Amino acid sequence: MSTTDIRTISDQDLVQQYINGHEAGLEELIRRHKSKIYTSIYHLVKDSDLAEDIFQDAFIKVINTLKTSKYNEEGKFLPWVIRISHNLVIDHFRKEKRKPMVANVEGFDIFDVIKVYDENAEDKIIREQNHKDLRTLIHLLPSEQKEVLIMRHFGELSFKEISDITGVSINTALGRMRYALNNLRKMMQTKELALKNI
């Protein structure tokens, strides 16, 4: 089969090809999705070597699952692999007993969403401190809100992909995101009031 032909085949058919013994099926799946999967891992761990290790571990799990004929995610290969990767990231942080690093995706600043004041010199100092505190605040969110926030803004996943990974409707994922941002706003305002009352 030519390179052009294989690039037009669906993920599901490529999975089936690999299960049937054609290594090229898996190679094309990796070529097709590596960037998105790796990026979603990297934005959680903020370490290129660690992200590469977790990416490889994810595909070892993928290969093992496919070879034992336990794969049943028809038509949902990418969300399935991202879910595996996400679970490996969580396992890593559990072992390390630390929480994921949260960093801004290029072109997006969470403070653009939760900003509640016009900035002057004093506010700039507060904002810089807030950037430091933001990770802590995010980890105070309920787990389902934190998960959607991290996947959406730091993993760059669409709400459809988040819906597939978490097993909830798109509307529920959107609602969790809205609650997460509202809760962050409230926490930021409470923190600012506490600082002003010192």
Side-chain angles (χ1 to χ4, degrees):
M1 184 178 291
S2 74
T3 303
T4 308
D5 291 339
I6 203 165
R7 291 190 178 189
T8 61
I9 295 174
S10 71
D11 286 357
Q12 186 58 29
D13 287 340
L14 289 170
V15 166
Q16 200 53 54
Q17 278 191 10
Y18 179 70
I19 290 170
N20 293 338
H22 302 288
E23 294 288 330
L26 183 66
E27 288 168 17
E28 171 60 15
L29 286 165
I30 293 172
R31 185 205 66 76
R32 193 175 284 184
H33 300 301
K34 176 169 184 177
S35 176
K36 186 163 252 187
I37 296 164
Y38 175 85
T39 300
S40 75
I41 298 167
Y42 178 78
H43 281 299
L44 290 172
V45 300
K46 296 308 296 173
D47 178 308
S48 55
D49 291 336
L50 179 57
E52 189 63 44
D53 287 347
I54 291 173
F55 176 85
Q56 288 173 9
D57 288 346
F59 267 91
I60 288 168
K61 276 187 174 275
V62 166
I63 289 164
N64 289 339
T65 303
L66 295 180
K67 284 190 171 173
T68 54
S69 303
K70 290 179 181 171
Y71 177 75
N72 58 4
E73 306 281 332
E74 287 189 26
K76 295 180 178 177
F77 179 79
L78 178 60
W80 175 62
V81 180
I82 288 177
R83 189 166 64 243
I84 289 171
S85 305
H86 183 76
N87 288 337
L88 287 170
V89 169
I90 291 168
D91 289 346
H92 167 77
F93 286 119
R94 278 192 189 126
K95 283 177 194 166
E96 294 290 310
K97 293 186 178 173
R98 64 189 180 89
K99 294 172 180 174
M101 297 288 284
V102 176
N104 290 332
V105 173
E106 240 179 291
F108 174 83
D109 186 341
I110 190 92
F111 283 92
D112 290 342
V113 178
I114 62 173
K115 198 168 184 179
V116 289
Y117 51 82
D118 291 325
E119 188 169 76
N120 58 31
E122 184 183 336
D123 290 332
K124 185 179 179 196
I125 295 166
I126 293 170
R127 177 176 59 82
E128 286 167 358
Q129 179 62 41
N130 286 342
H131 273 267
K132 186 180 170 187
D133 295 342
L134 180 61
R135 289 177 190 154
T136 305
L137 294 179
I138 286 174
H139 289 294
L140 293 175
L141 291 171
S143 58
E144 69 275 5
Q145 294 174 23
K146 177 172 58 180
E147 182 179 50
V148 171
L149 181 76
I150 289 173
M151 284 196 280
R152 176 71 183 123
H153 289 300
F154 308 117
E156 298 182 293
L157 302 183
S158 70
F159 281 106
K160 172 71 171 72
E161 289 164 334
I162 292 169
S163 165
D164 289 339
I165 290 167
T166 57
V168 300
S169 70
I170 292 175
N171 282 343
T172 299
L174 285 163
R176 287 177 180 177
M177 185 69 201
R178 197 162 48 246
Y179 282 124
L181 293 174
N182 284 340
N183 284 333
L184 281 175
R185 278 192 199 98
K186 286 175 190 169
M187 285 191 281
M188 292 295 293
Q189 287 170 335
T190 301
K191 185 170 174 54
E192 282 171 30
L193 286 171
L195 286 171
K196 285 173 184 173
N197 290 330
I198 291 173

